[in-house]
Amino acid sequence: MNAAAAPAEALSLSLIGVPNCGKTALFNRLTGSRQKVANYPGVTVERKEGRFIGPATGRTYRLLDLPGAYSLEPTSLDEAIARDVVLGRHATEPPPDLLVCVVDATNLRLNLRLVLDLKRLGRPLIVALNMSDLARARGFHVDRAALERALGVPVVETVAVRPGGERELVEAIDRHDFSQRVGRIDPPTLTTADVVATQREVRRILDEVNYRVPARLAVLSRLDSLVLHPVGGPLLLAAILFLMFQAVFSWAELPMNGIEAGVAAVGEWIAGTLSEGPLRSLLVDGIVAGVGAVLVFLPQIVILFFFILVLEDSGYLPRAAFLLDRLMGKVGLSGRAFIPLLSSFACAVPGIMATRTIPSTRDRIATIMIAPLMTCSARLPVYALLIGAFIPMRSVGGIFNLQGLVLFALYVAGVLSAMLVAFVLKLTVMRGADRPLLMELPEYRTPNLRNLLLGLWERVRIFLQRVGGIILALMVVLWFLSSFPAPPPGATGPAIEYSIAGMLGRGLQYIFEPIGFNWQISIALVPGLAAREVAVGALGTVYSMSASGDDVAGALSPLIASTWSLATALSLLAWYVFAPQCLSTLAVVKRETNSWRYPLIMAGYLFALAYLASFVTYHTAVALGAGS
Amino acid sequence: MESLLQSFAVGLIVLSCTVFAAWRLTPAAAKLKMLNALSADASHFWGRWVARLRKSVREELTHGCGSCSQAKSHLRKR
């Protein structure tokens, strides 16, 4: 077909379909570069319009690419706009002369429901059976002519990604008689019985056209009866997560010992090479002790992300979202919150940015407010340090590792706290109706080794960049603050006690003493606001600076094990479950909500929760005899 | 003499790290304001450097944060 300038009387076509059916690719194929992209008035939903000329009739068509919709019962702003345009009720769009419903030939069961909803409206309709080549290649049996007979509307095959793949559709549009036009249509009122009847009709049509899913996919989809089972599904999810945290400790020991030995060797080498002076102190006590204390946790981060990437690549994670939807709905969260919250396990910043996909402002704000309670990867070094120092490496019940159990419990504590906060928000300031979750589950796949290795490399690179960037810089600044001013003549204690950091730590100790933190921990909390794992590096530097004589950077874990009480360690763990978040998180909350109100509320409530949890933990532990 | 050299090297490292840490922790909007006040003449090394910094800060404003490398990896995938 030819793209052309707009004549006065262009016929109006609307392209509609479920998300990911290839609708936009077909729109691009039909209209080429003759497109106008803008937003619908007053909202941030994209509006795409293009034109083309029918080769047989010379008619000009104005084609609108509508937002993806699963049905005419809108659950989001996108779907509401698509429905209004289709009904001819949108304020700025004329009623379409013809609807083109794009359906994915590899997933007819999901797509036909929308086709039946559209057919009932009475507006002229053509069905474009897209990805028909892919469906055949994968072994689906799709009979176009039988489908056309069963639906009672024209059905044409399209391959939007191939040049010429739109030809049959253009011919069908040219053949269409546009003399009968339908104006505004009243919105359909669908009851549950109607939805059930539609599903039944979809099944009947699929049987009638003999639509067959390939045997391999059919077997895999039967897995869902176990994976998505209301009881078995959550148990399986808990078991997978549990094993993941066990592996984080069991598998990481050897490489961690290797890194620890390497860091110690570097420290000793520098100490042996450079003569006594400020540069040697900076390198050994500041950089090697601080950066080395964080670097040692790289193997645990790699193992954690290995599991997450395998689960993601296999298609399991969206199923986990589906499983958790009921639980999340009960505490007032949208099912769409799952992906942002899952992202927050890596870092709260992309997680908070991912909340843009949540259409309801109430749900979005609630998700943003609890995202920092998900245990981000920056907290893993803190947890690993404290667990490694205070929790014995012994098995429970002969199979489980106690350290892994504690780590699992800390992650669960974060999730449960988030649910609790969301529930409180739902009961108080963020009341509103629950929204149903409608999502498309991808096929199960064997994880691709290359993708897996690339994903892991990406994580390693990010971690090393962070260690070599902001963490190293802050360790150097902290070393300076811990070294100057020099101790007065005749001073007997370590130099750090007389330094700026020492004075700051003693000042902060008044606030943190009731929860069992000493002045070294109090100092470490300050740079920990830049990024949580910096607290570990800061402890490494502070303890290295506190050591007397020519001690070089030693392993931090045995050092704190010998100087802290178990009550203090448990209190610090409780603190980091709620850890008042890093500055980057607060900045992104400000940007995403366009207000200082939410970051301030977030900082306040997290600090209060962290302090309360640490206070209760510390005093309970002391009462039980763990205070010395 | 060696002690003097060590002190000089330490001063340089501490100063560089302080500037770097302050830059990374400054909100992107404030960074952009500072960069907009500087010349970005592409014919000079300094100008090209300012332009490159400005571009990366703009990306931070749209997609991520200053000190979180997560967001930067997200950018590369785009």
Side-chain angles (χ1 to χ4, degrees), chain A residues 275 277-279 353 458-459 461-462 466 584 591, chain B residues 2 6 60-61 63-64 67-70 73 76:
Chain A
S275 58
L279 185 61
M353 288 166 73
E458 183 74 356
R459 293 304 316 172
R461 198 184 53 71
I462 288 168
R466 214 165 151 81
S584 306
R591 207 162 68 217
Chain B
E2 194 190 329
Q6 279 203 18
E60 271 178 41
L61 265 178
H63 304 294
S67 61
C68 173
S69 41
Q70 284 277 334
S73 76
R76 262 188 289 277

mmCIF file with all atom_site columns, all heavy atoms in Angstrom, chain A residues 275 277-279 353 458-459 461-462 466 584 591, chain B residues 2 6 60-61 63-64 67-70 73 76:
data_model
loop_
_atom_site.group_PDB
_atom_site.id
_atom_site.type_symbol
_atom_site.label_atom_id
_atom_site.label_alt_id
_atom_site.label_comp_id
_atom_site.label_asym_id
_atom_site.label_entity_id
_atom_site.label_seq_id
_atom_site.pdbx_PDB_ins_code
_atom_site.Cartn_x
_atom_site.Cartn_y
_atom_site.Cartn_z
_atom_site.occupancy
_atom_site.B_iso_or_equiv
_atom_site.pdbx_formal_charge
_atom_site.auth_seq_id
_atom_site.auth_comp_id
_atom_site.auth_asym_id
_atom_site.auth_atom_id
_atom_site.pdbx_PDB_model_num
ATOM 1   N N   . SER A 1 275 ? 57.001 2.520  53.869 1.00 0.00 ? 275 SER A N   1
ATOM 2   C CA  . SER A 1 275 ? 57.440 2.827  55.235 1.00 0.00 ? 275 SER A CA  1
ATOM 3   C C   . SER A 1 275 ? 56.283 3.493  55.989 1.00 0.00 ? 275 SER A C   1
ATOM 4   O O   . SER A 1 275 ? 55.327 3.980  55.389 1.00 0.00 ? 275 SER A O   1
ATOM 5   C CB  . SER A 1 275 ? 58.659 3.750  55.182 1.00 0.00 ? 275 SER A CB  1
ATOM 6   O OG  . SER A 1 275 ? 58.322 4.911  54.471 1.00 0.00 ? 275 SER A OG  1
ATOM 7   N N   . GLY A 1 277 ? 53.803 5.835  57.584 1.00 0.00 ? 277 GLY A N   1
ATOM 8   C CA  . GLY A 1 277 ? 53.430 7.197  57.178 1.00 0.00 ? 277 GLY A CA  1
ATOM 9   C C   . GLY A 1 277 ? 51.959 7.256  56.832 1.00 0.00 ? 277 GLY A C   1
ATOM 10  O O   . GLY A 1 277 ? 51.268 6.232  56.858 1.00 0.00 ? 277 GLY A O   1
ATOM 11  N N   . PRO A 1 278 ? 51.463 8.441  56.487 1.00 0.00 ? 278 PRO A N   1
ATOM 12  C CA  . PRO A 1 278 ? 50.025 8.580  56.223 1.00 0.00 ? 278 PRO A CA  1
ATOM 13  C C   . PRO A 1 278 ? 49.544 7.770  55.011 1.00 0.00 ? 278 PRO A C   1
ATOM 14  O O   . PRO A 1 278 ? 48.427 7.264  55.012 1.00 0.00 ? 278 PRO A O   1
ATOM 15  C CB  . PRO A 1 278 ? 49.853 10.085 56.000 1.00 0.00 ? 278 PRO A CB  1
ATOM 16  C CG  . PRO A 1 278 ? 51.201 10.628 55.729 1.00 0.00 ? 278 PRO A CG  1
ATOM 17  C CD  . PRO A 1 278 ? 52.171 9.729  56.417 1.00 0.00 ? 278 PRO A CD  1
ATOM 18  N N   . LEU A 1 279 ? 50.404 7.647  53.968 1.00 0.00 ? 279 LEU A N   1
ATOM 19  C CA  . LEU A 1 279 ? 49.953 6.911  52.777 1.00 0.00 ? 279 LEU A CA  1
ATOM 20  C C   . LEU A 1 279 ? 49.746 5.435  53.105 1.00 0.00 ? 279 LEU A C   1
ATOM 21  O O   . LEU A 1 279 ? 48.770 4.823  52.666 1.00 0.00 ? 279 LEU A O   1
ATOM 22  C CB  . LEU A 1 279 ? 50.979 7.067  51.634 1.00 0.00 ? 279 LEU A CB  1
ATOM 23  C CG  . LEU A 1 279 ? 50.564 6.442  50.310 1.00 0.00 ? 279 LEU A CG  1
ATOM 24  C CD1 . LEU A 1 279 ? 49.281 7.068  49.774 1.00 0.00 ? 279 LEU A CD1 1
ATOM 25  C CD2 . LEU A 1 279 ? 51.678 6.578  49.258 1.00 0.00 ? 279 LEU A CD2 1
ATOM 26  N N   . MET A 1 353 ? 10.998 3.066  40.558 1.00 0.00 ? 353 MET A N   1
ATOM 27  C CA  . MET A 1 353 ? 10.725 3.584  39.202 1.00 0.00 ? 353 MET A CA  1
ATOM 28  C C   . MET A 1 353 ? 9.780  2.657  38.436 1.00 0.00 ? 353 MET A C   1
ATOM 29  O O   . MET A 1 353 ? 8.992  3.102  37.602 1.00 0.00 ? 353 MET A O   1
ATOM 30  C CB  . MET A 1 353 ? 12.038 3.762  38.455 1.00 0.00 ? 353 MET A CB  1
ATOM 31  C CG  . MET A 1 353 ? 12.802 4.957  39.011 1.00 0.00 ? 353 MET A CG  1
ATOM 32  S SD  . MET A 1 353 ? 14.472 5.007  38.480 1.00 0.00 ? 353 MET A SD  1
ATOM 33  C CE  . MET A 1 353 ? 14.244 5.487  36.811 1.00 0.00 ? 353 MET A CE  1
ATOM 34  N N   . GLU A 1 458 ? 26.917 -9.035 34.619 1.00 0.00 ? 458 GLU A N   1
ATOM 35  C CA  . GLU A 1 458 ? 26.377 -7.684 34.828 1.00 0.00 ? 458 GLU A CA  1
ATOM 36  C C   . GLU A 1 458 ? 26.328 -7.357 36.321 1.00 0.00 ? 458 GLU A C   1
ATOM 37  O O   . GLU A 1 458 ? 26.713 -6.286 36.762 1.00 0.00 ? 458 GLU A O   1
ATOM 38  C CB  . GLU A 1 458 ? 24.973 -7.619 34.210 1.00 0.00 ? 458 GLU A CB  1
ATOM 39  C CG  . GLU A 1 458 ? 24.300 -6.280 34.275 1.00 0.00 ? 458 GLU A CG  1
ATOM 40  C CD  . GLU A 1 458 ? 24.879 -5.272 33.294 1.00 0.00 ? 458 GLU A CD  1
ATOM 41  O OE1 . GLU A 1 458 ? 25.861 -5.581 32.593 1.00 0.00 ? 458 GLU A OE1 1
ATOM 42  O OE2 . GLU A 1 458 ? 24.351 -4.176 33.250 1.00 0.00 ? 458 GLU A OE2 1
ATOM 43  N N   . ARG A 1 459 ? 25.881 -8.352 37.133 1.00 0.00 ? 459 ARG A N   1
ATOM 44  C CA  . ARG A 1 459 ? 25.804 -8.142 38.576 1.00 0.00 ? 459 ARG A CA  1
ATOM 45  C C   . ARG A 1 459 ? 27.194 -7.943 39.178 1.00 0.00 ? 459 ARG A C   1
ATOM 46  O O   . ARG A 1 459 ? 27.399 -7.088 40.034 1.00 0.00 ? 459 ARG A O   1
ATOM 47  C CB  . ARG A 1 459 ? 25.138 -9.344 39.277 1.00 0.00 ? 459 ARG A CB  1
ATOM 48  C CG  . ARG A 1 459 ? 23.698 -9.552 38.976 1.00 0.00 ? 459 ARG A CG  1
ATOM 49  C CD  . ARG A 1 459 ? 22.845 -8.377 39.273 1.00 0.00 ? 459 ARG A CD  1
ATOM 50  N NE  . ARG A 1 459 ? 23.155 -7.749 40.549 1.00 0.00 ? 459 ARG A NE  1
ATOM 51  C CZ  . ARG A 1 459 ? 22.662 -6.619 40.972 1.00 0.00 ? 459 ARG A CZ  1
ATOM 52  N NH1 . ARG A 1 459 ? 21.829 -5.953 40.215 1.00 0.00 ? 459 ARG A NH1 1
ATOM 53  N NH2 . ARG A 1 459 ? 22.986 -6.129 42.147 1.00 0.00 ? 459 ARG A NH2 1
ATOM 54  N N   . ARG A 1 461 ? 29.873 -6.870 37.635 1.00 0.00 ? 461 ARG A N   1
ATOM 55  C CA  . ARG A 1 461 ? 30.393 -5.584 37.175 1.00 0.00 ? 461 ARG A CA  1
ATOM 56  C C   . ARG A 1 461 ? 29.800 -4.437 38.001 1.00 0.00 ? 461 ARG A C   1
ATOM 57  O O   . ARG A 1 461 ? 30.513 -3.533 38.439 1.00 0.00 ? 461 ARG A O   1
ATOM 58  C CB  . ARG A 1 461 ? 30.061 -5.418 35.692 1.00 0.00 ? 461 ARG A CB  1
ATOM 59  C CG  . ARG A 1 461 ? 30.876 -4.374 34.966 1.00 0.00 ? 461 ARG A CG  1
ATOM 60  C CD  . ARG A 1 461 ? 30.400 -4.226 33.529 1.00 0.00 ? 461 ARG A CD  1
ATOM 61  N NE  . ARG A 1 461 ? 28.969 -3.986 33.450 1.00 0.00 ? 461 ARG A NE  1
ATOM 62  C CZ  . ARG A 1 461 ? 28.367 -2.857 33.802 1.00 0.00 ? 461 ARG A CZ  1
ATOM 63  N NH1 . ARG A 1 461 ? 29.079 -1.853 34.248 1.00 0.00 ? 461 ARG A NH1 1
ATOM 64  N NH2 . ARG A 1 461 ? 27.062 -2.726 33.719 1.00 0.00 ? 461 ARG A NH2 1
ATOM 65  N N   . ILE A 1 462 ? 28.483 -4.500 38.213 1.00 0.00 ? 462 ILE A N   1
ATOM 66  C CA  . ILE A 1 462 ? 27.812 -3.448 38.983 1.00 0.00 ? 462 ILE A CA  1
ATOM 67  C C   . ILE A 1 462 ? 28.393 -3.377 40.395 1.00 0.00 ? 462 ILE A C   1
ATOM 68  O O   . ILE A 1 462 ? 28.719 -2.304 40.908 1.00 0.00 ? 462 ILE A O   1
ATOM 69  C CB  . ILE A 1 462 ? 26.288 -3.712 39.043 1.00 0.00 ? 462 ILE A CB  1
ATOM 70  C CG1 . ILE A 1 462 ? 25.655 -3.447 37.681 1.00 0.00 ? 462 ILE A CG1 1
ATOM 71  C CG2 . ILE A 1 462 ? 25.619 -2.872 40.117 1.00 0.00 ? 462 ILE A CG2 1
ATOM 72  C CD1 . ILE A 1 462 ? 24.231 -3.948 37.568 1.00 0.00 ? 462 ILE A CD1 1
ATOM 73  N N   . ARG A 1 466 ? 30.638 -0.358 42.024 1.00 0.00 ? 466 ARG A N   1
ATOM 74  C CA  . ARG A 1 466 ? 30.189 0.302  43.254 1.00 0.00 ? 466 ARG A CA  1
ATOM 75  C C   . ARG A 1 466 ? 31.311 0.292  44.298 1.00 0.00 ? 466 ARG A C   1
ATOM 76  O O   . ARG A 1 466 ? 31.554 1.293  44.960 1.00 0.00 ? 466 ARG A O   1
ATOM 77  C CB  . ARG A 1 466 ? 28.971 -0.471 43.771 1.00 0.00 ? 466 ARG A CB  1
ATOM 78  C CG  . ARG A 1 466 ? 27.923 0.330  44.449 1.00 0.00 ? 466 ARG A CG  1
ATOM 79  C CD  . ARG A 1 466 ? 26.682 -0.532 44.535 1.00 0.00 ? 466 ARG A CD  1
ATOM 80  N NE  . ARG A 1 466 ? 25.879 -0.194 45.688 1.00 0.00 ? 466 ARG A NE  1
ATOM 81  C CZ  . ARG A 1 466 ? 25.042 0.834  45.727 1.00 0.00 ? 466 ARG A CZ  1
ATOM 82  N NH1 . ARG A 1 466 ? 24.940 1.633  44.696 1.00 0.00 ? 466 ARG A NH1 1
ATOM 83  N NH2 . ARG A 1 466 ? 24.314 1.052  46.797 1.00 0.00 ? 466 ARG A NH2 1
ATOM 84  N N   . SER A 1 584 ? 19.800 7.840  47.842 1.00 0.00 ? 584 SER A N   1
ATOM 85  C CA  . SER A 1 584 ? 19.331 7.680  46.456 1.00 0.00 ? 584 SER A CA  1
ATOM 86  C C   . SER A 1 584 ? 17.863 7.283  46.425 1.00 0.00 ? 584 SER A C   1
ATOM 87  O O   . SER A 1 584 ? 17.097 7.742  45.572 1.00 0.00 ? 584 SER A O   1
ATOM 88  C CB  . SER A 1 584 ? 20.140 6.595  45.755 1.00 0.00 ? 584 SER A CB  1
ATOM 89  O OG  . SER A 1 584 ? 21.487 6.878  45.874 1.00 0.00 ? 584 SER A OG  1
ATOM 90  N N   . ARG A 1 591 ? 11.396 12.362 43.355 1.00 0.00 ? 591 ARG A N   1
ATOM 91  C CA  . ARG A 1 591 ? 11.215 12.603 41.925 1.00 0.00 ? 591 ARG A CA  1
ATOM 92  C C   . ARG A 1 591 ? 9.951  11.913 41.401 1.00 0.00 ? 591 ARG A C   1
ATOM 93  O O   . ARG A 1 591 ? 9.207  12.470 40.606 1.00 0.00 ? 591 ARG A O   1
ATOM 94  C CB  . ARG A 1 591 ? 12.438 12.089 41.177 1.00 0.00 ? 591 ARG A CB  1
ATOM 95  C CG  . ARG A 1 591 ? 12.661 12.814 39.890 1.00 0.00 ? 591 ARG A CG  1
ATOM 96  C CD  . ARG A 1 591 ? 14.047 12.633 39.394 1.00 0.00 ? 591 ARG A CD  1
ATOM 97  N NE  . ARG A 1 591 ? 14.294 11.283 38.981 1.00 0.00 ? 591 ARG A NE  1
ATOM 98  C CZ  . ARG A 1 591 ? 15.437 10.641 39.161 1.00 0.00 ? 591 ARG A CZ  1
ATOM 99  N NH1 . ARG A 1 591 ? 16.420 11.225 39.792 1.00 0.00 ? 591 ARG A NH1 1
ATOM 100 N NH2 . ARG A 1 591 ? 15.610 9.427  38.715 1.00 0.00 ? 591 ARG A NH2 1
ATOM 101 N N   . GLU B 2 2   ? 60.377 11.347 52.168 1.00 0.00 ? 2   GLU B N   1
ATOM 102 C CA  . GLU B 2 2   ? 59.344 10.360 51.797 1.00 0.00 ? 2   GLU B CA  1
ATOM 103 C C   . GLU B 2 2   ? 58.035 10.650 52.527 1.00 0.00 ? 2   GLU B C   1
ATOM 104 O O   . GLU B 2 2   ? 56.956 10.515 51.969 1.00 0.00 ? 2   GLU B O   1
ATOM 105 C CB  . GLU B 2 2   ? 59.830 8.948  52.111 1.00 0.00 ? 2   GLU B CB  1
ATOM 106 C CG  . GLU B 2 2   ? 58.946 7.907  51.419 1.00 0.00 ? 2   GLU B CG  1
ATOM 107 C CD  . GLU B 2 2   ? 59.215 6.491  51.869 1.00 0.00 ? 2   GLU B CD  1
ATOM 108 O OE1 . GLU B 2 2   ? 60.364 6.193  52.228 1.00 0.00 ? 2   GLU B OE1 1
ATOM 109 O OE2 . GLU B 2 2   ? 58.259 5.691  51.846 1.00 0.00 ? 2   GLU B OE2 1
ATOM 110 N N   . GLN B 2 6   ? 54.480 11.295 50.885 1.00 0.00 ? 6   GLN B N   1
ATOM 111 C CA  . GLN B 2 6   ? 53.298 10.520 51.301 1.00 0.00 ? 6   GLN B CA  1
ATOM 112 C C   . GLN B 2 6   ? 52.157 11.467 51.681 1.00 0.00 ? 6   GLN B C   1
ATOM 113 O O   . GLN B 2 6   ? 51.001 11.247 51.291 1.00 0.00 ? 6   GLN B O   1
ATOM 114 C CB  . GLN B 2 6   ? 53.647 9.649  52.504 1.00 0.00 ? 6   GLN B CB  1
ATOM 115 C CG  . GLN B 2 6   ? 54.367 8.360  52.131 1.00 0.00 ? 6   GLN B CG  1
ATOM 116 C CD  . GLN B 2 6   ? 54.207 7.281  53.208 1.00 0.00 ? 6   GLN B CD  1
ATOM 117 O OE1 . GLN B 2 6   ? 53.319 7.356  54.043 1.00 0.00 ? 6   GLN B OE1 1
ATOM 118 N NE2 . GLN B 2 6   ? 55.066 6.280  53.153 1.00 0.00 ? 6   GLN B NE2 1
ATOM 119 N N   . GLU B 2 60  ? 20.319 10.303 34.281 1.00 0.00 ? 60  GLU B N   1
ATOM 120 C CA  . GLU B 2 60  ? 20.006 10.029 35.690 1.00 0.00 ? 60  GLU B CA  1
ATOM 121 C C   . GLU B 2 60  ? 18.626 10.589 36.034 1.00 0.00 ? 60  GLU B C   1
ATOM 122 O O   . GLU B 2 60  ? 17.825 9.953  36.695 1.00 0.00 ? 60  GLU B O   1
ATOM 123 C CB  . GLU B 2 60  ? 20.996 10.749 36.602 1.00 0.00 ? 60  GLU B CB  1
ATOM 124 C CG  . GLU B 2 60  ? 22.243 9.983  36.936 1.00 0.00 ? 60  GLU B CG  1
ATOM 125 C CD  . GLU B 2 60  ? 23.147 10.836 37.792 1.00 0.00 ? 60  GLU B CD  1
ATOM 126 O OE1 . GLU B 2 60  ? 22.654 11.539 38.686 1.00 0.00 ? 60  GLU B OE1 1
ATOM 127 O OE2 . GLU B 2 60  ? 24.367 10.812 37.542 1.00 0.00 ? 60  GLU B OE2 1
ATOM 128 N N   . LEU B 2 61  ? 18.377 11.815 35.552 1.00 0.00 ? 61  LEU B N   1
ATOM 129 C CA  . LEU B 2 61  ? 17.107 12.473 35.863 1.00 0.00 ? 61  LEU B CA  1
ATOM 130 C C   . LEU B 2 61  ? 15.932 11.690 35.299 1.00 0.00 ? 61  LEU B C   1
ATOM 131 O O   . LEU B 2 61  ? 14.859 11.636 35.881 1.00 0.00 ? 61  LEU B O   1
ATOM 132 C CB  . LEU B 2 61  ? 17.088 13.874 35.239 1.00 0.00 ? 61  LEU B CB  1
ATOM 133 C CG  . LEU B 2 61  ? 17.512 15.024 36.136 1.00 0.00 ? 61  LEU B CG  1
ATOM 134 C CD1 . LEU B 2 61  ? 17.486 16.301 35.354 1.00 0.00 ? 61  LEU B CD1 1
ATOM 135 C CD2 . LEU B 2 61  ? 16.601 15.150 37.342 1.00 0.00 ? 61  LEU B CD2 1
ATOM 136 N N   . HIS B 2 63  ? 16.057 8.312  34.274 1.00 0.00 ? 63  HIS B N   1
ATOM 137 C CA  . HIS B 2 63  ? 15.979 6.867  34.505 1.00 0.00 ? 63  HIS B CA  1
ATOM 138 C C   . HIS B 2 63  ? 16.516 6.374  35.832 1.00 0.00 ? 63  HIS B C   1
ATOM 139 O O   . HIS B 2 63  ? 16.240 5.266  36.225 1.00 0.00 ? 63  HIS B O   1
ATOM 140 C CB  . HIS B 2 63  ? 16.761 6.125  33.417 1.00 0.00 ? 63  HIS B CB  1
ATOM 141 C CG  . HIS B 2 63  ? 16.302 6.448  32.050 1.00 0.00 ? 63  HIS B CG  1
ATOM 142 N ND1 . HIS B 2 63  ? 15.064 6.110  31.593 1.00 0.00 ? 63  HIS B ND1 1
ATOM 143 C CD2 . HIS B 2 63  ? 16.918 7.093  31.043 1.00 0.00 ? 63  HIS B CD2 1
ATOM 144 C CE1 . HIS B 2 63  ? 14.943 6.525  30.336 1.00 0.00 ? 63  HIS B CE1 1
ATOM 145 N NE2 . HIS B 2 63  ? 16.040 7.127  29.994 1.00 0.00 ? 63  HIS B NE2 1
ATOM 146 N N   . GLY B 2 64  ? 17.405 7.091  36.477 1.00 0.00 ? 64  GLY B N   1
ATOM 147 C CA  . GLY B 2 64  ? 18.009 6.469  37.652 1.00 0.00 ? 64  GLY B CA  1
ATOM 148 C C   . GLY B 2 64  ? 18.643 7.475  38.581 1.00 0.00 ? 64  GLY B C   1
ATOM 149 O O   . GLY B 2 64  ? 18.407 8.661  38.496 1.00 0.00 ? 64  GLY B O   1
ATOM 150 N N   . SER B 2 67  ? 24.097 7.520  42.557 1.00 0.00 ? 67  SER B N   1
ATOM 151 C CA  . SER B 2 67  ? 25.031 6.587  43.173 1.00 0.00 ? 67  SER B CA  1
ATOM 152 C C   . SER B 2 67  ? 24.614 5.140  43.009 1.00 0.00 ? 67  SER B C   1
ATOM 153 O O   . SER B 2 67  ? 25.241 4.260  43.554 1.00 0.00 ? 67  SER B O   1
ATOM 154 C CB  . SER B 2 67  ? 25.168 6.919  44.647 1.00 0.00 ? 67  SER B CB  1
ATOM 155 O OG  . SER B 2 67  ? 23.922 6.790  45.264 1.00 0.00 ? 67  SER B OG  1
ATOM 156 N N   . CYS B 2 68  ? 23.557 4.894  42.251 1.00 0.00 ? 68  CYS B N   1
ATOM 157 C CA  . CYS B 2 68  ? 23.105 3.514  42.109 1.00 0.00 ? 68  CYS B CA  1
ATOM 158 C C   . CYS B 2 68  ? 23.425 3.021  40.714 1.00 0.00 ? 68  CYS B C   1
ATOM 159 O O   . CYS B 2 68  ? 22.846 3.481  39.741 1.00 0.00 ? 68  CYS B O   1
ATOM 160 C CB  . CYS B 2 68  ? 21.602 3.420  42.352 1.00 0.00 ? 68  CYS B CB  1
ATOM 161 S SG  . CYS B 2 68  ? 20.980 1.796  42.006 1.00 0.00 ? 68  CYS B SG  1
ATOM 162 N N   . SER B 2 69  ? 24.329 2.072  40.626 1.00 0.00 ? 69  SER B N   1
ATOM 163 C CA  . SER B 2 69  ? 24.729 1.598  39.309 1.00 0.00 ? 69  SER B CA  1
ATOM 164 C C   . SER B 2 69  ? 23.659 0.693  38.683 1.00 0.00 ? 69  SER B C   1
ATOM 165 O O   . SER B 2 69  ? 23.719 0.386  37.509 1.00 0.00 ? 69  SER B O   1
ATOM 166 C CB  . SER B 2 69  ? 26.048 0.846  39.408 1.00 0.00 ? 69  SER B CB  1
ATOM 167 O OG  . SER B 2 69  ? 26.050 0.043  40.553 1.00 0.00 ? 69  SER B OG  1
ATOM 168 N N   . GLN B 2 70  ? 22.667 0.269  39.468 1.00 0.00 ? 70  GLN B N   1
ATOM 169 C CA  . GLN B 2 70  ? 21.540 -0.500 38.925 1.00 0.00 ? 70  GLN B CA  1
ATOM 170 C C   . GLN B 2 70  ? 20.913 0.258  37.761 1.00 0.00 ? 70  GLN B C   1
ATOM 171 O O   . GLN B 2 70  ? 20.658 -0.285 36.711 1.00 0.00 ? 70  GLN B O   1
ATOM 172 C CB  . GLN B 2 70  ? 20.449 -0.638 39.987 1.00 0.00 ? 70  GLN B CB  1
ATOM 173 C CG  . GLN B 2 70  ? 20.753 -1.625 41.044 1.00 0.00 ? 70  GLN B CG  1
ATOM 174 C CD  . GLN B 2 70  ? 20.403 -3.002 40.595 1.00 0.00 ? 70  GLN B CD  1
ATOM 175 O OE1 . GLN B 2 70  ? 19.543 -3.173 39.754 1.00 0.00 ? 70  GLN B OE1 1
ATOM 176 N NE2 . GLN B 2 70  ? 21.085 -3.984 41.110 1.00 0.00 ? 70  GLN B NE2 1
ATOM 177 N N   . SER B 2 73  ? 22.907 0.273  34.543 1.00 0.00 ? 73  SER B N   1
ATOM 178 C CA  . SER B 2 73  ? 22.870 -0.963 33.760 1.00 0.00 ? 73  SER B CA  1
ATOM 179 C C   . SER B 2 73  ? 21.553 -1.030 32.998 1.00 0.00 ? 73  SER B C   1
ATOM 180 O O   . SER B 2 73  ? 21.486 -1.505 31.884 1.00 0.00 ? 73  SER B O   1
ATOM 181 C CB  . SER B 2 73  ? 23.023 -2.174 34.669 1.00 0.00 ? 73  SER B CB  1
ATOM 182 O OG  . SER B 2 73  ? 21.836 -2.422 35.354 1.00 0.00 ? 73  SER B OG  1
ATOM 183 N N   . ARG B 2 76  ? 21.901 0.962  29.835 1.00 0.00 ? 76  ARG B N   1
ATOM 184 C CA  . ARG B 2 76  ? 22.659 0.332  28.761 1.00 0.00 ? 76  ARG B CA  1
ATOM 185 C C   . ARG B 2 76  ? 21.805 -0.651 27.989 1.00 0.00 ? 76  ARG B C   1
ATOM 186 O O   . ARG B 2 76  ? 21.990 -0.884 26.827 1.00 0.00 ? 76  ARG B O   1
ATOM 187 C CB  . ARG B 2 76  ? 23.879 -0.381 29.344 1.00 0.00 ? 76  ARG B CB  1
ATOM 188 C CG  . ARG B 2 76  ? 25.132 0.449  29.232 1.00 0.00 ? 76  ARG B CG  1
ATOM 189 C CD  . ARG B 2 76  ? 26.290 -0.388 29.644 1.00 0.00 ? 76  ARG B CD  1
ATOM 190 N NE  . ARG B 2 76  ? 26.261 -0.628 31.061 1.00 0.00 ? 76  ARG B NE  1
ATOM 191 C CZ  . ARG B 2 76  ? 26.722 0.224  31.967 1.00 0.00 ? 76  ARG B CZ  1
ATOM 192 N NH1 . ARG B 2 76  ? 27.246 1.356  31.590 1.00 0.00 ? 76  ARG B NH1 1
ATOM 193 N NH2 . ARG B 2 76  ? 26.667 -0.060 33.238 1.00 0.00 ? 76  ARG B NH2 1
#
